[in-house]
Amino acid sequence: MILNNKMKIINIATTTFDDQKPGTSGLRKKVNVFQQSHYLENFVQSIFNVATELKGGLLILGGDGRYYNAHAIQIILKMAAANGVKQVMVGENGLLSTPAVSCLIRKYKAAGGIVLSASHNPGGVNGDFGIKFNIANGGPAPTSFTDATYEISKRLAEYQIADADDIPLDRQHSCQMGEMKIDVIDSVSDYADLMEQLFDFNKIRTMFTSGWLEMCFDAMHAVTGPYAREIFSKRLSANVDALINSIPLEDFGGGHPDPNLAHAKELVSRLNSGPGAPGFGAASDGDGDRNMIIGQNFFVNPSDSLAIMTANAHLLPGYKQGICGVARSLPTSRAVDKVAEVLGIDCYETPTGWKYFGNLLDDKRITLCGEESFGSGSDHIREKDGIWAVLFWLNLIAVKQQSVEEITREHWKKYGRHYYTRHDYEAIDSDAAEALMQNLRDQSNSLAENEYSGYKVLLSDDFSYTDPVDNSITENQGIRILFDDESRIVFRLSGTGTEGATLRVYIEKYETDASQHNLPVQTALTELIDIANSIAEIKSRCNRDQPDVIT
Ligand code: G16
């Protein structure tokens, strides 16, 4: 036991867990896994052991408000004090969205940040919990960091924690825990100020106050409620009924905080309610980094959203100097590639995971990036950013004076339409999923030249990425099959699920003929869906007739 400014630091002997390997975005498990004695503490100590820069530095701490958030924050504060952190800024009520953490790390030059969230996964006592670490650039820790924490977690013998009282989180204040300063801060204002620098708030406000547009934003009872209140209602004077589900709840009101057509049902029914319906709808996820954009009876695919943003960024104040390049993850449709070609800028294809965009942003190779999984962002921070994407669209609508649908259709007309769908097979047997992927891997080199229902395979491989900045290589990132008409199928296993395995099948088809842009997506892709099912033998290997979720 050591005394630090009259505070006791206790070394607790612990035993290891073998399942603390972070996935696509941090460590995500069922709440009851995190509730095992020492489980959270072991993982947090592993972070402190690797992120030695936290000693004597500033840590940003907050989460999406799900069950276990408040409890975990008190533990992490005491462990931070015991591990020599100089100062912690923690969000009021323990709330900070993932983009707000990234913003605060960069603004206050913090050594890093800890975000407590399992993102779009359900919460509550029977739901999921998660923890992720962001480094000093504000972005998710790279694989080298997460691999190192995993190695440490496998041999950790003890952790350090201060013998201190819990800190009140329900009001803004500053206090000491031993030698460590704690500031409980406004969760929203720094982030909202950054948004005001990027977008034309006057123009958006006029659009609302003149009655030209009404919006509906679904915070899904997750972290973005307070952000939406401050930004859309207070600073932008949006219509009085603009926000739904805007009170953060520990179980997200029993809902699934995943902003897609299946889970944001209330929002969708409002937008599709006929005359008088709002013209613009949006939703964000548990920790506020994802976004869905919809118009009246109209859905904007996230891959299209990235392409539309890229084509129009120069019209908005924060991007008026143009953009230097773009990036998308492997399974994201190639809609943005077409725009990059026309703009004459580089377009990078990365593995799934926001962490792969960090080096490209830091090296100023890209300004915008995005993923099919409802994520888009820019160089303003190092995370994808839900509210930012909503503001981007609102600003664009205010500039163009067109509806969501008109903007999207005009885009398709100019660049062609990428019909796109993702089929998810959830909670399938992990061994069966691995065997399915291995079978695809074994075939992948011999598929070229094969023809399926008139679609000829041009190239097929297991995607591997060499980071152009640090030359690190990331292998086995998904099987991709490219056809000679620019259609594409990608198969990979999710890295964010907490039950069995989730197979994701991504299918796209490029159509330049505007008279063919009105088909239902699943109809336009029927043949390719059948080809994907047959090459991967999904039905027999997964024992499923249909995907569980289609986006
Ligand atoms: C995370 C990552 C994203 C990724 C998504 C889905 O998002 O940050 O980069 O696209 O998971 O990953 P997977 O397909 O492996 O499940 P979030 O919003 O869950 O943090």
Side-chain angles (χ1 to χ4, degrees), residues 24 28 119-120 290 353 371 373 384 492 494-496 504:
T24 309
R28 286 185 197 169
S119 186
H120 55 289
R290 296 185 176 206
E371 295 186 276
S373 53
K384 57 185 184 278
R492 58 180 285 280
S494 160
T496 57
R504 301 206 198 282

Side-chain angles (χ1 to χ4, degrees), residues 108-147:
Y108 295 105
K109 303 199 176 353
I114 292 180
V115 188
L116 303 166
S117 173
S119 186
H120 55 289
N121 295 13
V125 65
N126 297 316
D128 292 348
F129 188 72
I131 175 164
K132 53 186 179 176
F133 183 68
N134 282 30
I135 56 175
N137 76 349
T143 312
S144 54
F145 182 99
T146 52
D147 284 350

Side-chain angles (χ1 to χ4, degrees), residues 1-60:
M1 183 183 81
I2 304 166
L3 279 178
N4 162 357
N5 198 9
K6 300 209 179 110
M7 177 190 71
K8 272 196 264 175
I9 295 173
I10 311 168
N11 291 332
I12 308 266
T14 187
T15 47
T16 57
F17 299 88
D18 60 7
D19 63 347
Q20 298 201 325
K21 186 174 172 58
T24 309
S25 180
L27 185 70
R28 286 185 197 169
K29 302 281 174 194
K30 293 273 165 221
V31 164
N32 61 15
V33 174
F34 272 101
Q35 283 174 323
Q36 298 171 90
S37 275
H38 309 314
Y39 191 90
L40 173 74
E41 291 86 344
N42 277 17
F43 188 69
V44 172
Q45 188 62 54
S46 304
I47 292 174
F48 282 124
N49 287 5
V50 178
T52 48
E53 62 277 20
L54 288 173
K55 202 175 179 123
L58 167 64
L59 172 73
I60 309 294

